[in-house]
Amino acid sequence: MPMRAPVAVLCSGGLDSAVLLVDLARSTGRAVPLFVRAGHPWEDAERRALECFLDAVGESRVAPPRDLALPMADVYGEHWSMSGRGGPGWTAPDEAVELRGRNLVLLSKALVAAAIEGWPTVALGSLAGNPFPDATHHFFAGIAAVASEALRAPLAVVAPYRELSKADVIRRGADLPLELTLSCLRPTPDGEHCGDCNKCRERVEAFAAAQVPDRARYACSARR
């Protein structure tokens, strides 16, 4: 019987994509994590977090991570996501975290790699409540259709957690070392959460809502 083709999973080292990666590896038999570098200052810390998480999980059905590069500094310029200055703080609304075209950037290179490698499905960890236009089922279906035509390969983009909250994902992955994942816009040099950005607040509140202990380390403990 022929082996099922692996599922490619856009994986940043963050909580949502890490849980999705293991989830899909276990349910499909093989998953390939794709880490896309666009030039954001948090990427080195995220990549280390992903490696630590995968080492701790030890899931044989997860392939070694593939690193892809698609630098965006020439487009985003001095935006906080490139300069590391003035990023959305603890009280900032979720809309302040938008990186225009983020999923378009990530999926464009991932889909080319998927067509070349023979991965018919690319998955990403978009959650319920994501307000951005490149995180809808309509967008995912559209970009998959365009890529399939351009690359002469049947491709699908799926977001299995699109109807779940972050608290739902935490409960789903409660058996995993979630403390090794990184959900922070300004991680410290040693990879701790800053404890003072929008993403840290989102994470802290989600663990509280899930009623699951958060064992991650935060440089600023006053928020917890």
Side-chain angles (χ1 to χ4, degrees):
M1 182 176 179
M3 291 184 62
R4 185 186 304 178
V7 176
V9 183
L10 286 167
C11 200
S12 66
L15 191 153
D16 310 323
S17 60
V19 175
L20 177 63
L21 174 66
V22 177
D23 202 353
L24 287 177
R26 290 173 175 174
S27 63
T28 68
R30 189 69 166 168
V32 181
L34 303 181
F35 187 91
V36 182
R37 289 185 178 272
H40 301 296
W42 56 76
E43 288 172 349
D44 286 344
E46 284 187 335
R47 186 62 177 82
R48 290 193 300 270
L50 176 60
E51 202 71 47
C52 290
F53 174 81
L54 292 179
D55 286 347
V57 171
E59 174 55 68
S60 63
R61 288 165 288 189
V62 174
R66 284 282 300 272
D67 290 272
L68 306 176
L70 191 54
M72 292 295 292
D74 52 351
V75 174
Y76 289 145
E78 290 301 308
H79 190 263
W80 61 265
S81 66
M82 288 292 165
S83 68
R85 299 186 298 273
W90 183 268
T91 60
D94 291 342
E95 290 75 11
V97 184
E98 181 180 14
L99 301 181
R100 291 188 66 183
R102 174 65 168 167
N103 285 338
L104 178 62
V105 170
L106 297 176
L107 286 167
S108 60
K109 193 149 191 181
L111 285 163
V112 175
I116 291 171
E117 298 291 344
W119 306 323
T121 304
V122 177
L124 72 171
S126 291
L127 303 182
N130 187 317
F132 306 128
D134 62 351
T136 66
H137 290 303
H138 175 74
F139 171 78
F140 297 143
I143 195 171
V146 169
S148 296
E149 180 179 355
L151 296 163
R152 300 187 301 275
L155 295 165
V157 174
V158 300
Y161 291 172
R162 193 64 179 90
E163 311 307 321
L164 301 183
S165 68
K166 188 175 287 289
D168 293 328
V169 175
I170 290 169
R171 286 189 286 264
R172 194 179 188 104
D175 66 321
L176 300 173
L178 299 181
E179 70 275 10
L180 299 179
T181 63
L182 180 67
S183 313
C184 182
L185 300 175
R186 297 191 292 265
T188 67
D190 60 355
E192 287 188 1
H193 291 78
C194 74
D196 199 34
C197 71
N198 168 284
K199 286 297 180 182
C200 282
R201 173 182 58 78
E202 180 183 70
R203 180 185 175 110
V204 167
E205 291 178 351
F207 270 96
Q211 296 185 319
V212 173
D214 181 7
R215 296 186 294 273
R217 295 191 302 172
Y218 293 78
C220 174
S221 60
R223 298 292 191 182
R224 300 188 60 204

